[in-house]
Every structure is written in structure tokens, then in C-alpha cells.
Amino acid sequence: MPNNTTQGQRALMTVLDTPLPDLVRRLGLAVAEAQQALDVNSLTIAQRMAEPNVDLGDGRMRSLLGLGFTPTFYAFSEATLEAKLTFTIRESTEFSVGASASGGYAGIFSASVNAEYSRKYGFEVQGSSSIAARLVSLPPPARLHQLLNEIAASQEASPAPASSGSSSSGGSTTTSGSTSSGGSTSA
């Protein structure tokens, strides 16, 4: 029959065996790895946005950065680890005694005694945990934003490609279909 101290020790060991420090460490590492992945993703998007691939109908290719778009960066503003552990130890003891006596003729006497003893132990453990994280969008870091603006400005300053209605020869551009105004022309 187990004693109360053993049950209490088992309950304490269950609480102590819960790897709470390990859970907190894992949450911290997971947040750091996820933040790095988010940053790399935002930089990859910035590189894609720098590629001139948008034509607004004038024959000139522009980048999204040149049009004023910037990549969105995300950061974890909060990460919460919640762990709940509930344990219950129950012990109940029941003891009952019953007796009866009967007498009869000629000195015959009988007695019966009924004794009952029971002890019950109960042990329950319930646990739950949850992890929540909050992401917020941020503008690009100041230095990256400055570099993105420089890239966009350099793309705007680059010369436009020649249009289909003009030809280039010897560094000068000539356009066909010129007219003269006024009277006559001499040969």
C-alpha cells in the first residue's frame, strides 16, 4: 500500500521534469531563425523590385523601386509561451465498525463484529501549452531605404531606349517626315 509521501514525491517529480527552460530556449531560437528568414525574404523581394520589368506604355522599362515601391519588412514584436500544469492528489480513508450481539436460552450468547477499512489514492496530471507570436510590418531599415532610393534615382537618370520611329546614325538622331514651311525651295 503506497504512502502519502511517495505520491507527493511523484507529483513533485512530474512538475520538475517539465522542460520549461528548454521550451523557452526553443521558442527564442525559433523566433530568431524565423526573423532571419523574414529579413532574407524581404531583401530578395527588394532585389526583384530593382529589376526593370514594368512598361508604362512609353517603351521604357522601369523597376518597381523606380516607381516608388519599397519592400515590406516584418518583425516579431511579441512571442508568448504559456504553459499550464495542474496536478491533483487525492487520498481518502474510510473506516467503519459494526457489531451485533444476540442472546438466547441456556446461556448461549453470540456476537459478531464487522470492521471495514479502505484507503484510496488518486493522482491526476493535466497540462496544456500554447505559443503565440505577433508580427508587425516595418519600413526598410534607414540605410537600405537610402540605397533603394539611390538605385531608383540612377535608373531614372539612365537614357531611354530609342523608339521604333527613329533611326540612329553617327551619333545623331534623324526623324523622317520633315516638312518645310513657307514658299519655295531652291535646288
Side-chain angles (χ1 to χ4, degrees):
M1 180 164 39
N3 63 31
N4 196 15
T5 305
T6 304
Q7 290 292 331
Q9 288 173 346
R10 286 184 190 160
L12 182 60
M13 290 307 294
T14 301
V15 172
L16 294 178
D17 285 342
T18 304
L20 189 59
D22 189 44
L23 289 174
V24 172
R25 180 183 62 80
R26 286 182 182 183
L27 175 64
L29 290 174
V31 167
E33 289 172 4
Q35 183 64 58
Q36 181 183 12
L38 288 171
D39 293 342
V40 167
N41 183 59
S42 293
L43 290 173
T44 302
I45 290 172
Q47 290 172 340
R48 288 182 187 160
M49 292 175 82
E51 297 171 2
N53 58 4
V54 177
D55 183 3
L56 296 178
D58 61 357
R60 183 173 180 187
M61 299 303 284
R62 292 178 173 85
S63 71
L64 290 173
L65 292 177
L67 294 173
F69 291 92
T70 57
T72 303
F73 283 76
Y74 295 95
F76 286 97
S77 66
E78 180 181 331
T80 305
L81 170 66
E82 184 177 309
K84 295 178 183 178
L85 181 64
T86 305
F87 63 96
T88 306
I89 300 174
R90 285 188 301 272
E91 177 184 358
S92 64
T93 304
E94 295 177 15
F95 181 73
S96 63
V97 176
S100 63
S102 61
Y105 298 105
I108 299 177
F109 178 73
S110 69
S112 66
V113 176
N114 184 13
E116 231 180 86
Y117 177 79
S118 68
R119 189 167 200 176
K120 296 179 184 177
Y121 291 95
F123 181 70
E124 280 183 37
V125 176
Q126 293 179 345
S128 66
S129 63
S130 66
I131 297 174
R134 177 182 293 182
L135 286 173
V136 294
S137 64
L138 301 172
R143 179 65 183 134
L144 178 62
H145 190 67
Q146 180 183 358
L147 288 172
L148 294 175
N149 286 336
E150 290 171 8
I151 291 169
S154 71
Q155 288 178 350
E156 285 294 319
S158 66
S163 66
S164 62
S166 58
S167 62
S168 174
S169 63
S172 62
T173 304
T174 60
T175 307
S176 61
S178 60
T179 60
S180 65
S181 63
S184 61
T185 59
S186 60

